Amino acid sequence: MKIGVMVNEGPYQRQSSDSAYLFCKAAIGAGHEIERVFFYHDGVNNATKLTEPPQDDRNVVARWTKLAQDHGVDLVVCVAAALRRGIVEQNLAQGFRISGLGQLVESAIQSDRMVVFGD
Amino acid sequence: MDEAGIIKKFLFVNRKAPYGSVYALEGLEVVLISAAFDQDVSLAFVDDGVFQLAKGQNPKAIETKNFSPTYRALEGYDIEKLYVERESLQARGLAEEDLLVDVKVVSTAEMSALMDEMDVLISF
């Protein structure tokens, strides 16, 4: 099954982006395809390479980057939401790209299921 | 676009007040973009989301943009199916005539039936 994922909350404050990441890994492990992960609202904060969590904690941003590298998952950050929050090309972590909201609608059209994480 | 020809039933569910968080504003941006994709788009307003359609919004005092006129412009984008949950309206002391656009007021049960028919549900 082709699955589109939407992440609406930033990392660390709440569990949503962790849940989204774990869902993606589990889905890929079960043989599904993650068609795209679209980051919206504060979810765009998942994409900043300036993130520096303590060493004994998970690195949410680096995990997304690894998911993109290992499985070719398309990580798209909404440009308007990103600009509002200071996420631009210069501080974008590897594996992410900035694009428009059309990518979210397109993902919903092309996927068999759309799964949304976060409030 | 290779999705040409696919038409899905989208329901954008608006659950939050227009001000106090960014969800209503950024949700509306998704709705407007979806109009460009020739999909079958409906909007639902439930819980505090019904306040998004209230007439006479004036957020000047909180130095926030009043984006409520955009709901009136939706018709121009061929987005005409707006559903408001009756119970949410009533619980907030609002009636259909307090809303700034034409909507279909439905019961909670009718709203669940509507959601059941959809291909894509995204809530804000």
Side-chain angles (χ1 to χ4, degrees):
Chain A
M1 185 184 283
K2 264 178 150 180
I3 304 170
V5 173
M6 182 181 188
V7 179
N8 287 334
E9 286 179 1
Y12 301 107
Q13 179 92 358
R14 294 175 70 174
Q15 202 186 321
S16 315
S17 63
D18 295 271
S19 299
Y21 164 78
L22 294 170
F23 171 84
C24 289
K25 267 191 69 168
I28 291 166
H32 300 292
E33 179 195 342
I34 300 298
E35 197 266 339
R36 175 172 297 151
V37 183
F38 191 87
F39 296 87
Y40 198 42
H41 303 309
D42 274 358
V44 300
N45 291 314
N46 281 277
T48 168
K49 69 176 179 192
L50 301 176
T51 301
E52 265 186 59
Q55 290 205 339
D56 59 351
D57 196 359
R58 71 216 186 282
N59 186 325
V60 172
V61 178
R63 288 196 313 193
W64 283 120
T65 294
K66 194 166 183 321
L67 192 78
Q69 287 166 347
D70 293 352
H71 304 285
V73 176
D74 188 20
L75 306 178
V76 177
V77 181
C78 168
V79 60
L83 286 175
R84 252 184 209 127
R85 294 163 177 84
I87 306 292
V88 290
E89 290 290 347
Q90 293 95 296
N91 57 20
L92 203 63
Q94 264 187 16
F96 291 87
R97 64 187 178 98
I98 294 181
S99 190
L101 275 173
Q103 298 272 300
L104 170 67
V105 179
E106 186 192 84
S107 177
I109 295 170
Q110 291 181 346
S111 302
D112 300 304
R113 288 278 188 284
M114 188 77 200
V115 186
V116 183
F117 290 86
D119 216 359
Chain B
M1 272 178 253
D2 58 359
E3 69 269 18
I6 304 175
I7 297 178
K8 287 193 174 179
K9 293 173 84 134
F10 277 73
L11 180 67
F12 295 106
V13 184
N14 299 282
R15 296 180 294 126
K16 294 186 168 64
Y19 312 102
S21 79
V22 80
Y23 292 104
L25 173 67
E26 288 191 340
L28 195 52
E29 286 177 8
V30 178
V31 170
L32 294 173
I33 294 287
S34 74
F37 283 79
D38 292 327
Q39 299 293 299
D40 181 358
V41 176
S42 302
L43 268 57
F45 296 84
V46 297
D47 303 334
D48 279 351
V50 301
F51 286 125
Q52 293 181 24
L53 297 179
K55 278 181 190 160
Q57 295 178 30
N58 178 15
K60 233 184 194 141
I62 54 166
E63 298 181 9
T64 301
K65 176 176 157 184
N66 180 1
F67 57 90
S68 67
T70 312
Y71 294 103
R72 275 209 208 95
L74 288 178
E75 223 180 336
Y77 289 81
D78 285 330
I79 296 169
E80 291 164 341
K81 287 182 273 187
L82 276 60
Y83 300 89
V84 173
E85 192 193 51
R86 180 175 298 116
E87 287 82 349
S88 298
L89 269 184
Q90 284 171 348
R92 287 157 186 82
L94 290 172
E96 197 173 341
E97 50 276 20
D98 298 319
L99 306 181
L100 49 82
V101 281
D102 285 336
V103 300
K104 188 162 187 224
V105 177
V106 298
S107 67
T108 303
E110 287 166 326
M111 190 63 92
S112 350
L114 183 74
M115 290 179 177
D116 212 32
E117 285 174 22
M118 296 293 151
D119 298 310
V120 181
L121 268 180
I122 296 178
S123 71
F124 298 105

